[in-house]
Amino acid sequence: MDVTYAATGSNRLRVRTVRGTIDWPQRIRTIETLAGNLIDPEGMGAGHDVRGFLENPPAPETPASIVIDGAPIPATRMDLPNRSGIHVEWRGQHVFCTGEAGLLDSLELRTGTEPDFTRFMAEFEEYIARRRAEG
């Protein structure tokens, strides 16, 4: 699942859930990293070489925690001048949260419920219908 929360046209907070931690192939392990999730998409679009960023991130990962379902869970965090990120392994999934440092400081996550997914699917179907109508 990839959920992006946006305000005033800019991505302020992004939460990504990535394939499980069990039997995770090595080639995916090298792509889905905290540093990789902090790459600036505008820089990629401008043709900047991001390999150096991935091989030698500009900041260290530090121990952190994030509250999920009311309990603090051990995580790692990376803070860059213009964005920050948290990586947590939770219930067999890699979860990456990226955005403004202040938002991550107070971020709490919770497990999705059946009504959440029902609402999400209805909103997604409405979005698809609008896109088709626009041509």
Side-chain angles (χ1 to χ4, degrees):
M1 176 175 280
D2 186 346
V3 180
T4 302
Y5 300 86
T8 65
S10 64
N11 291 337
R12 297 184 62 205
L13 175 64
R14 181 177 191 203
V15 178
R16 294 186 68 220
T17 303
V18 182
R19 184 179 171 153
T21 56
I22 300 169
D23 298 328
W24 213 31
Q26 181 61 39
R27 93 177 145 243
I28 293 175
R29 233 179 253 129
T30 61
I31 296 169
E32 289 294 349
T33 64
L34 184 52
N37 277 272
L38 286 172
I39 291 173
D40 183 3
E42 292 177 14
M44 289 176 60
H48 295 139
D49 182 7
V50 297
R51 287 177 291 183
F53 185 92
L54 292 172
E55 293 168 2
N56 190 19
E61 288 189 31
T62 57
S65 69
I66 187 167
V67 175
I68 303 178
D69 291 335
I73 307 294
T76 58
R77 180 173 175 141
M78 183 181 289
D79 291 294
L80 302 178
N82 60 344
R83 61 195 173 282
S84 296
I86 293 175
H87 170 221
V88 61
E89 292 187 16
W90 180 74
R91 291 193 179 178
Q93 301 292 309
H94 292 279
V95 179
F96 296 95
C97 305
T98 58
E100 298 172 2
L103 291 174
L104 295 182
D105 292 340
S106 61
L107 181 63
E108 292 188 20
L109 302 177
R110 68 173 177 81
T111 303
T113 62
E114 188 172 329
D116 292 327
F117 289 108
T118 299
R119 186 180 67 249
F120 171 78
M121 289 307 298
E123 291 171 358
F124 180 69
E125 288 171 6
E126 180 182 313
Y127 167 78
I128 294 298
R130 279 196 320 266
R131 295 291 300 224
R132 287 186 179 144
E134 294 170 359

